[in-house]
């Protein structure tokens, strides 16, 4: 075997060994519990986890009223309601003791 082929084989073996050494985790206890807090928080926010399996239609607002509600909500960002003046009765705006 030529010397360059031996050097290439040794370098390749060294690279494989280094990459394999980097594949192990330094924090296995943390890795086992990674994401548990998020999963637990999601489960606590879901009222009925099996709701998707229920074929009954959801009762509540009809389609037309729901659409108008969404349109009105979206339009509220285009033209926000006008600001109202607040009349301060019986109090001072500045600090205490001002005349």
């Amino acid at each position: 075997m030529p010397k360059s082929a031996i050097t290439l084989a040794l370098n390749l073996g060294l690279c494989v060994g280094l990459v394999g050494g980097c594949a192990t985790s330094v924090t296995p206890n943390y890795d086992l519990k990674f994401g548990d807090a998020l999963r637990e928080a999601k489960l606590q926010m879901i009222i009925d986890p099996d709701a998707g399996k229920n074929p009954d239609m959801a009762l509540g607002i009809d389609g037309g009223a729901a659409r108008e509600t969404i349109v009105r909500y979206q339009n509220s960002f285009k033209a926000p309601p006008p600001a109202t003046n607040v009349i301060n009765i019986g109090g001072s705006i500045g600090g205490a003791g001002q005349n």
Side-chain angles (χ1 to χ4, degrees):
M1 257 180 146
K3 186 176 180 181
S4 62
I6 295 172
T7 306
L8 180 63
L10 288 174
N11 286 338
L12 184 61
L14 181 64
C15 288
V16 169
L18 288 174
V19 169
C22 293
T24 60
S25 176
V26 190
T27 57
N29 293 333
Y30 293 127
D31 293 345
L32 290 174
K33 297 178 183 179
F34 188 79
D36 284 352
L38 175 66
R39 283 187 284 279
E40 185 177 337
K42 277 178 31 179
L43 288 174
Q44 289 175 354
M45 287 189 276
I46 297 173
I47 293 173
D48 184 9
D50 296 327
K53 297 175 185 175
N54 187 357
D56 293 340
M57 222 169 43
L59 301 175
I61 194 167
D62 63 351
R67 184 182 186 291
E68 288 302 315
T69 302
I70 291 173
V71 168
R72 195 173 337 147
Y73 172 74
Q74 290 172 342
N75 287 338
S76 71
F77 293 102
K78 295 176 187 172
T84 57
N85 293 331
V86 177
I87 300 173
N88 188 6
I89 300 174
S92 64
I93 294 177
Q98 289 183 354
N99 292 336

